[in-house]
Amino acid sequence: MDVSAGSAPFADRAAAGVVLSHHLTAYEDDPRVVVLALPRGGVPVAAPLAARLGAPLDVLVVRKLGVPGHPEVAMGAIAGIGATVELVHEERVRARAHVTLDDLDRARRRELVELHRREAAYRGGRPAPRLAGRVVLLVDDGLATGATMRAAVAAVRGLAPARVVVAVPVGSDGGCAALARVADDVVCVRRPAPFRAVGQAYADFDPPSDDEVRALLARGGGAGATDRGV
Protein backbone atom coordinates (compact mmCIF):
# COMPACT_ATOMS: atom_id res chain seq x y z
CA MET A 1 0.00 0.00 0.00
CA ASP A 2 1.55 3.29 -1.15
CA VAL A 3 -0.05 5.98 1.00
CA SER A 4 1.45 9.04 -0.68
CA ALA A 5 3.77 9.96 -3.50
CA GLY A 6 4.87 13.25 -1.89
CA SER A 7 8.38 14.04 -0.78
CA ALA A 8 8.06 16.65 2.01
CA PRO A 9 10.52 15.77 4.77
CA PHE A 10 9.66 14.42 8.19
CA ALA A 11 11.13 16.41 11.06
CA ASP A 12 12.89 13.32 12.41
CA ARG A 13 12.41 9.58 12.85
CA ALA A 14 10.04 9.93 15.81
CA ALA A 15 7.80 12.30 13.84
CA ALA A 16 7.85 9.85 10.95
CA GLY A 17 6.78 7.07 13.31
CA VAL A 18 3.79 9.10 14.45
CA VAL A 19 2.71 9.66 10.84
CA LEU A 20 3.26 5.99 10.03
CA SER A 21 1.09 4.97 12.98
CA HIS A 22 -1.90 6.77 11.44
CA HIS A 23 -1.78 4.31 8.55
CA LEU A 24 -1.72 1.19 10.73
CA THR A 25 -4.69 1.79 13.01
CA ALA A 26 -6.28 -1.46 11.79
CA TYR A 27 -3.78 -3.21 14.07
CA GLU A 28 -4.52 -1.10 17.15
CA ASP A 29 -5.07 -3.13 20.35
CA ASP A 30 -4.76 -6.41 18.45
CA PRO A 31 -3.14 -8.84 20.92
CA ARG A 32 -1.53 -10.77 18.05
CA VAL A 33 0.58 -7.80 16.94
CA VAL A 34 4.27 -7.42 17.71
CA VAL A 35 6.41 -4.59 16.33
CA LEU A 36 9.97 -5.48 15.33
CA ALA A 37 12.30 -2.59 14.51
CA LEU A 38 15.47 -2.82 12.45
CA PRO A 39 18.14 -1.07 14.53
CA ARG A 40 19.38 1.39 14.80
CA GLY A 41 17.35 3.79 12.64
CA GLY A 42 14.12 1.81 12.74
CA VAL A 43 13.78 1.91 16.53
CA PRO A 44 12.86 5.62 16.95
CA VAL A 45 10.34 5.16 14.13
CA ALA A 46 8.83 2.06 15.70
CA ALA A 47 8.60 3.36 19.28
CA PRO A 48 5.68 5.78 18.77
CA LEU A 49 4.05 3.28 16.42
CA ALA A 50 4.14 0.51 19.02
CA ALA A 51 2.82 2.92 21.67
CA ARG A 52 -0.08 3.95 19.42
CA LEU A 53 -0.99 0.35 18.65
CA GLY A 54 -0.56 -0.88 22.23
CA ALA A 55 1.86 -3.52 20.94
CA PRO A 56 5.15 -4.85 22.32
CA LEU A 57 8.33 -3.51 20.71
CA ASP A 58 11.46 -5.52 20.03
CA VAL A 59 14.31 -5.62 17.52
CA LEU A 60 15.34 -7.72 14.57
CA VAL A 61 19.01 -7.12 13.82
CA VAL A 62 20.07 -6.98 10.17
CA ARG A 63 23.63 -6.69 8.85
CA LYS A 64 24.56 -5.63 5.34
CA LEU A 65 27.16 -7.74 3.55
CA GLY A 66 29.45 -5.33 1.74
CA VAL A 67 31.40 -6.08 -1.43
CA PRO A 68 35.08 -6.71 -0.56
CA GLY A 69 36.95 -3.45 -0.99
CA HIS A 70 33.67 -1.53 -1.39
CA PRO A 71 31.79 -2.08 1.89
CA GLU A 72 29.20 0.57 1.06
CA VAL A 73 27.90 -1.62 -1.80
CA ALA A 74 25.56 -4.35 -0.53
CA MET A 75 25.96 -7.81 -2.06
CA GLY A 76 23.48 -9.17 0.47
CA ALA A 77 22.27 -9.06 4.04
CA ILE A 78 21.67 -11.33 6.99
CA ALA A 79 18.92 -11.01 9.57
CA GLY A 80 18.58 -12.89 12.81
CA ILE A 81 16.20 -13.31 15.68
CA GLY A 82 17.24 -15.80 18.33
CA ALA A 83 18.58 -18.92 16.67
CA THR A 84 16.97 -18.11 13.30
CA VAL A 85 19.30 -16.40 10.81
CA GLU A 86 18.53 -15.86 7.12
CA LEU A 87 20.73 -14.70 4.24
CA VAL A 88 19.55 -12.73 1.22
CA HIS A 89 22.09 -12.01 -1.49
CA GLU A 90 22.06 -9.65 -4.47
CA GLU A 91 23.08 -11.96 -7.31
CA ARG A 92 23.48 -9.17 -9.87
CA VAL A 93 25.75 -7.17 -7.55
CA ARG A 94 27.79 -10.26 -6.73
CA ALA A 95 28.22 -11.10 -10.41
CA ARG A 96 29.18 -7.56 -11.42
CA ALA A 97 31.73 -7.33 -8.60
CA HIS A 98 33.10 -10.83 -9.35
CA VAL A 99 32.46 -11.89 -5.75
CA THR A 100 32.90 -15.61 -5.13
CA LEU A 101 30.71 -17.74 -2.91
CA ASP A 102 33.69 -18.00 -0.55
CA ASP A 103 33.81 -14.19 -0.35
CA LEU A 104 30.11 -14.13 0.44
CA ASP A 105 30.48 -16.79 3.12
CA ARG A 106 33.39 -14.97 4.77
CA ALA A 107 31.33 -11.79 4.91
CA ARG A 108 28.36 -13.72 6.29
CA ARG A 109 30.41 -15.29 9.09
CA ARG A 110 32.03 -11.97 9.99
CA GLU A 111 28.72 -10.11 10.16
CA LEU A 112 27.02 -12.96 12.01
CA VAL A 113 29.33 -12.35 14.98
CA GLU A 114 28.35 -8.67 15.01
CA LEU A 115 24.67 -9.52 14.55
CA HIS A 116 24.62 -11.72 17.66
CA ARG A 117 26.60 -9.13 19.63
CA ARG A 118 24.15 -6.38 18.80
CA GLU A 119 21.11 -8.54 19.40
CA ALA A 120 22.37 -9.39 22.90
CA ALA A 121 23.26 -5.76 23.61
CA TYR A 122 19.88 -4.39 22.53
CA ARG A 123 17.74 -7.11 24.07
CA GLY A 124 19.62 -7.07 27.38
CA GLY A 125 19.24 -10.75 28.22
CA ARG A 126 15.56 -11.05 27.34
CA PRO A 127 14.66 -14.03 25.16
CA ALA A 128 13.83 -13.46 21.53
CA PRO A 129 10.11 -12.96 20.93
CA ARG A 130 7.97 -15.91 19.90
CA LEU A 131 6.40 -15.10 16.55
CA ALA A 132 4.37 -18.20 15.66
CA GLY A 133 0.82 -17.17 14.85
CA ARG A 134 1.57 -13.47 15.41
CA VAL A 135 1.06 -10.45 13.17
CA VAL A 136 4.57 -9.04 12.78
CA LEU A 137 5.09 -5.41 11.80
CA LEU A 138 8.64 -4.93 10.52
CA VAL A 139 9.66 -1.27 10.78
CA ASP A 140 12.64 0.67 9.46
CA ASP A 141 13.30 4.35 8.72
CA GLY A 142 13.10 3.67 4.99
CA LEU A 143 13.68 1.36 2.03
CA ALA A 144 16.31 1.92 -0.64
CA THR A 145 17.07 -1.38 -2.42
CA GLY A 146 15.13 -3.33 0.19
CA ALA A 147 17.86 -5.96 0.64
CA THR A 148 18.09 -5.67 4.43
CA MET A 149 14.33 -5.72 4.86
CA ARG A 150 14.01 -8.76 2.59
CA ALA A 151 16.44 -10.57 4.88
CA ALA A 152 14.30 -9.51 7.85
CA VAL A 153 11.16 -10.86 6.21
CA ALA A 154 12.90 -14.17 5.47
CA ALA A 155 14.01 -14.52 9.10
CA VAL A 156 10.50 -13.83 10.39
CA ARG A 157 8.90 -16.21 7.88
CA GLY A 158 11.02 -19.00 9.35
CA LEU A 159 9.18 -18.58 12.66
CA ALA A 160 5.67 -19.21 11.28
CA PRO A 161 3.93 -15.85 11.81
CA ALA A 162 0.32 -15.39 10.76
CA ARG A 163 1.13 -12.23 8.77
CA VAL A 164 4.19 -10.12 7.96
CA VAL A 165 3.72 -6.41 7.29
CA VAL A 166 6.57 -4.11 6.26
CA ALA A 167 6.00 -0.53 7.42
CA VAL A 168 8.26 2.41 6.54
CA PRO A 169 7.87 6.18 6.30
CA VAL A 170 9.69 6.42 2.96
CA GLY A 171 10.91 4.12 0.21
CA SER A 172 11.92 3.79 -3.40
CA ASP A 173 9.51 2.32 -5.92
CA GLY A 174 11.93 -0.53 -6.57
CA GLY A 175 12.52 -1.29 -2.91
CA CYS A 176 8.82 -1.31 -2.09
CA ALA A 177 8.04 -3.47 -5.13
CA ALA A 178 10.69 -6.00 -4.06
CA LEU A 179 9.15 -6.22 -0.58
CA ALA A 180 5.64 -6.56 -1.94
CA ARG A 181 6.72 -9.88 -3.46
CA VAL A 182 7.71 -11.37 -0.10
CA ALA A 183 5.60 -9.59 2.56
CA ASP A 184 1.85 -9.81 3.05
CA ASP A 185 1.58 -6.02 2.90
CA VAL A 186 3.90 -3.03 2.49
CA VAL A 187 2.90 0.30 4.01
CA CYS A 188 5.06 3.13 2.67
CA VAL A 189 3.96 6.68 3.49
CA ARG A 190 6.10 8.45 0.88
CA ARG A 191 7.78 7.42 -2.35
CA PRO A 192 9.79 10.45 -3.54
CA ALA A 193 10.49 10.75 -7.24
CA PRO A 194 13.29 10.81 -7.97
CA PHE A 195 14.43 8.74 -5.01
CA ARG A 196 18.01 9.56 -4.00
CA ALA A 197 18.35 8.26 -0.44
CA VAL A 198 16.24 7.52 2.63
CA GLY A 199 17.66 10.61 4.35
CA GLN A 200 16.10 12.94 1.79
CA ALA A 201 12.75 12.57 3.58
CA TYR A 202 14.12 13.71 6.96
CA ALA A 203 15.09 17.17 8.18
CA ASP A 204 17.08 15.49 10.99
CA PHE A 205 18.65 12.17 10.00
CA ASP A 206 21.34 11.86 12.69
CA PRO A 207 21.59 8.19 13.71
CA PRO A 208 20.52 7.23 17.23
CA SER A 209 23.17 5.86 19.56
CA ASP A 210 23.08 2.35 21.00
CA ASP A 211 22.14 3.84 24.37
CA GLU A 212 19.22 5.70 22.80
CA VAL A 213 18.07 2.49 21.13
CA ARG A 214 18.16 0.60 24.43
CA ALA A 215 16.26 3.39 26.20
CA LEU A 216 13.52 3.41 23.55
CA LEU A 217 13.17 -0.36 23.75
CA ALA A 218 12.90 -0.23 27.54
CA ARG A 219 10.20 2.44 27.37
CA GLY A 220 8.46 1.14 24.29
CA GLY A 221 7.38 -2.32 25.33
CA GLY A 222 10.41 -4.53 24.81
CA ALA A 223 10.78 -5.16 28.54
CA GLY A 224 7.12 -6.15 28.81
CA ALA A 225 6.94 -8.29 25.70
CA THR A 226 6.71 -11.58 27.54
CA ASP A 227 3.70 -10.23 29.46
CA ARG A 228 1.88 -10.06 26.14
CA GLY A 229 2.73 -13.64 25.26
CA VAL A 230 5.38 -12.68 22.75
Side-chain angles (χ1 to χ4, degrees):
M1 176 172 61
D2 178 13
V3 179
S4 168
S7 59
F10 301 105
D12 56 20
R13 289 177 177 86
V18 171
V19 174
L20 183 59
S21 73
H22 297 327
H23 301 286
L24 291 160
T25 55
Y27 298 105
E28 195 168 351
D29 296 322
D30 185 336
R32 300 174 302 159
V33 171
V34 57
V35 177
L36 295 183
L38 275 59
R40 294 179 288 177
V43 177
V45 177
L49 169 62
R52 167 71 180 267
L53 301 183
L57 172 65
D58 214 306
V59 291
L60 194 156
V61 180
V62 180
R63 298 293 297 170
K64 180 178 73 175
L65 306 182
V67 169
H70 300 279
E72 73 283 358
V73 179
M75 61 179 176
I78 56 171
I81 185 161
T84 300
V85 177
E86 292 289 341
L87 164 71
V88 167
H89 62 88
E90 300 288 344
E91 186 57 37
R92 285 180 296 179
V93 174
R94 193 173 70 81
R96 284 200 306 268
H98 305 291
V99 175
T100 68
L101 290 176
D102 284 343
D103 291 332
L104 183 68
D105 188 59
R106 278 192 292 271
R108 181 195 64 81
R109 286 186 279 112
R110 181 177 63 251
E111 292 301 335
L112 184 60
V113 173
E114 180 63 12
L115 184 151
H116 287 315
R117 186 196 71 79
R118 288 189 177 225
E119 186 179 29
Y122 293 142
R123 192 163 285 124
R126 289 180 290 107
R130 297 191 299 274
L131 302 181
R134 306 301 296 267
V135 176
V136 180
L137 305 187
L138 287 171
V139 180
D140 204 356
D141 53 14
L143 291 175
T145 67
T148 54
M149 184 62 83
R150 282 189 287 117
V153 171
V156 169
R157 287 286 191 207
L159 296 170
R163 185 172 176 81
V164 180
V165 178
V166 170
V168 294
V170 60
S172 69
D173 282 337
C176 292
L179 266 301
R181 291 191 288 269
V182 295
D184 296 303
D185 193 13
V186 177
V187 177
C188 180
V189 177
R190 297 189 181 277
R191 296 189 190 187
F195 181 91
R196 297 184 300 275
V198 169
Q200 78 185 89
Y202 293 88
D204 177 2
F205 199 56
D206 288 340
S209 68
D210 284 346
D211 286 342
E212 289 169 333
V213 168
R214 283 189 285 267
L216 286 169
L217 290 170
R219 293 198 301 268
T226 53
D227 296 335
R228 296 282 300 273
V230 178

